[in-house]
């Protein structure tokens, strides 16, 4: 698992941060610690938990796809343009603000699903029948998702806005 030193990351170039986040996305969806498909199979008997976890994972996968196909390529090119490795090209979405708003909305939707899932997992009067190791894996998955969301919302997106503004005002 990639360890996240947020202070160190905030000082890095945006394309390096973006590459680190892509690695984190890969870990979320493929790492044996999270193995989301296996988790879904292990909670299948707990219908509500299964449905919520499935919804969070589907939303997450769709969100990651949009980031990696639309936003992230632009951020990498933005960093290269600032370093004058390539000329700046205005994106078809006009400004980075537009996809960032969509990504932040996705984050809120994912976090709502996580909160519902946590409520059920922590509901003491009616505990789920999920064994403790599976609960722990789900909690680790949630913690990692929250780290990625924090990194994107608090470091990557503000840095992207600042960088784009810098390049637009210098043109």
């Amino acid at each position: 698992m990639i360890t996240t030193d947020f202070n160190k990351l905030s000082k890095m170039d945006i394309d390096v941060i973006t590459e680190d986040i892509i690695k984190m996305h890969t870990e979320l969806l493929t790492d044996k610690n999270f193995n989301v498909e296996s988790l879904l199979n292990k909670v299948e008997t707990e219908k509500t938990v299964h449905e919520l976890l499935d919804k969070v994972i589907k939303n997450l996968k769709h969100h990651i796809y949009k980031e990696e196909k639309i936003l992230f390529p632009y951020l990498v090119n933005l960093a290269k343009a600032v370093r004058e490795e390539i000329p700046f090209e205005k994106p078809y979405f006009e400004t980075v603000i537009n996809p960032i708003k969509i990504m932040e909305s996705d984050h809120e939707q994912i976090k709502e699903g996580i909160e519902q899932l946590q409520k059920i997992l922590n509901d003491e009067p009616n505990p789920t029948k999920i064994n403790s190791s599976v609960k722990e894996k789900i909690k680790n998955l949630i913690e990692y998702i929250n780290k990625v969301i924090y990194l994107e919302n608090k470091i990557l997106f503000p840095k992207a806005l600042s960088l784009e503004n810098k390049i637009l005002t210098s043109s």
Side-chain angles (χ1 to χ4, degrees):
M1 228 182 288
I2 294 173
T3 52
T4 313
D5 180 349
F6 294 121
N7 290 327
K8 182 181 170 188
L9 281 170
S10 66
K11 295 173 183 138
M12 297 171 128
D13 286 342
I14 200 166
D15 50 342
V16 176
I17 297 169
T18 301
E19 289 169 15
D20 282 351
I21 292 173
I22 290 170
K23 290 175 188 169
M24 293 173 84
H25 286 169
T26 301
E27 282 188 359
L28 270 171
L29 301 178
T30 60
D31 191 89
K32 67 180 179 194
N33 291 321
F34 303 120
N35 197 335
V36 291
E37 300 308 321
S38 174
L39 279 177
L40 284 171
N41 290 335
K42 290 178 180 174
V43 296
E44 200 158 301
T45 56
E46 285 290 325
K47 187 177 180 203
T48 307
V49 173
H50 179 85
E51 288 172 355
L52 279 171
L53 185 58
D54 186 48
K55 181 180 174 185
V56 166
I57 291 168
K58 282 180 180 171
N59 286 340
L60 183 67
K61 285 180 178 180
H62 187 246
H63 170 75
I64 288 172
Y65 178 82
K66 290 188 288 188
E67 280 183 333
E68 292 187 5
K69 297 297 180 195
I70 298 167
L71 179 61
F72 289 177
Y74 173 69
L75 298 182
V76 169
N77 286 338
L78 187 62
K80 289 178 181 178
V82 167
R83 291 190 301 262
E84 298 181 358
E85 294 171 14
I86 62 171
F88 174 73
E89 288 186 34
K90 196 167 185 175
Y92 69 89
F93 45 76
E94 296 298 317
T95 175
V96 76
I97 294 168
N98 295 322
I100 284 175
K101 284 182 181 177
I102 293 167
M103 298 307 131
E104 288 174 334
S105 175
D106 287 356
H107 289 164
E108 289 307 311
Q109 188 178 28
I110 291 166
K111 285 170 30 177
E112 285 173 17
I114 285 172
E115 287 169 11
Q116 292 172 354
L117 189 57
Q118 285 175 314
K119 188 174 189 277
I120 291 171
L121 290 174
N122 297 329
D123 192 8
E124 293 307 321
N126 298 314
T128 63
K129 296 176 188 102
I130 300 170
N131 77 42
S132 60
S133 70
V134 173
K135 270 188 184 181
E136 192 62 31
K137 284 186 179 200
I138 293 171
K139 287 179 182 181
N140 290 340
L141 172 67
I142 289 169
E143 183 180 319
Y144 203 73
I145 291 170
N146 284 327
K147 278 183 184 179
V148 174
I149 289 173
Y150 177 87
L151 176 59
E152 291 175 0
N153 286 350
K154 301 297 183 190
I155 296 174
L156 183 68
F157 296 164
K159 199 170 189 97
L161 292 165
S162 174
L163 205 55
E164 186 182 67
N165 188 48
K166 177 181 175 181
I167 208 165
L168 291 174
T169 56
S170 70
S171 305

